[in-house]
Amino acid sequence: MSHSDAEIKLDVREIDGEPFGDIMAALEELPSGETLHLINSFEPVPLYDVLEQRGYTHQTEQDGDVWHVFIQEAV
């Protein structure tokens, strides 16, 4: 998976409470071919199974205490 310039960022560190609904809403609005760049303070391992079940792929990178998850529709 390559990171494209066509990405939407969602920093869930700024969300008060459970961010799952915000993540799913962002994915529903994600234009075809674009990437959702999820920024989190921990690796969201439980999210990975949900993404796979809903037809998405992901790539995760850690930068210190920050996790970056790049999510795209599976091709």
Side-chain angles (χ1 to χ4, degrees):
M1 177 184 308
S2 64
H3 310 309
S4 68
D5 291 332
E7 71 175 28
I8 296 170
K9 289 187 181 181
L10 177 61
D11 189 341
V12 296
R13 299 173 299 173
E14 301 171 352
I15 295 173
D16 187 26
E18 174 59 50
F20 183 79
D22 295 271
I23 296 168
M24 291 299 109
L27 287 172
E28 287 178 14
E29 297 174 9
L30 188 67
S32 182
E34 292 197 15
T35 300
L36 177 63
H37 177 182
L38 179 67
I39 303 167
N40 205 348
S41 57
F42 63 90
E43 184 175 16
V45 174
L47 179 63
Y48 298 158
D49 285 337
V50 174
L51 293 174
E52 184 178 326
Q53 291 171 3
R54 296 186 183 207
Y56 294 94
T57 61
H58 72 277
Q59 180 178 344
T60 304
E61 299 173 2
Q62 183 180 9
D63 182 16
D65 293 338
V66 180
W67 293 84
H68 300 270
V69 183
F70 300 90
I71 306 167
Q72 293 178 327
E73 285 182 301
V75 180

